[in-house]
Amino acid sequence: GESRPVSFPLTEEPLRLYNADRQWVVEPGRFTVWAGASSADLRLRGQFSITDEDGNAPEELPLTDDAGNPI
């Protein structure tokens, strides 16, 4: 039953994608990070957004589960 805060660095590399111009880039948008005992036992979710140089990010729909319920 013990709990304690943890932190870990999240670098650019896991957020990159290979675009049509054949470049590795990080595009603006919402990212979700999950933590848990296993992929079948996710206990914590956090979100963050990457913005462009002007501080803008694309507008995104709210996240929902398979039944359409907000998560």
Side-chain angles (χ1 to χ4, degrees):
E2 182 180 339
S3 66
R4 66 177 54 186
V6 297
S7 64
F8 56 92
L10 184 58
T11 63
E12 177 184 310
E13 187 174 354
L15 305 175
R16 293 187 304 180
L17 57 88
Y18 199 62
N19 69 10
D21 297 326
R22 297 182 177 186
Q23 297 174 332
W24 287 103
V25 297
V26 176
E27 293 186 349
R30 179 176 52 211
F31 291 83
T32 304
V33 178
W34 295 86
S38 72
S39 61
D41 185 13
L42 298 171
R43 302 175 187 191
L44 181 66
R45 176 179 60 98
Q47 294 180 356
F48 64 93
S49 293
I50 300 289
T51 60
D52 63 17
E53 294 174 359
D54 296 326
N56 301 312
E59 188 170 336
E60 300 185 33
L61 297 174
L63 295 175
T64 58
D65 62 17
D66 292 338
N69 301 309
I71 55 173

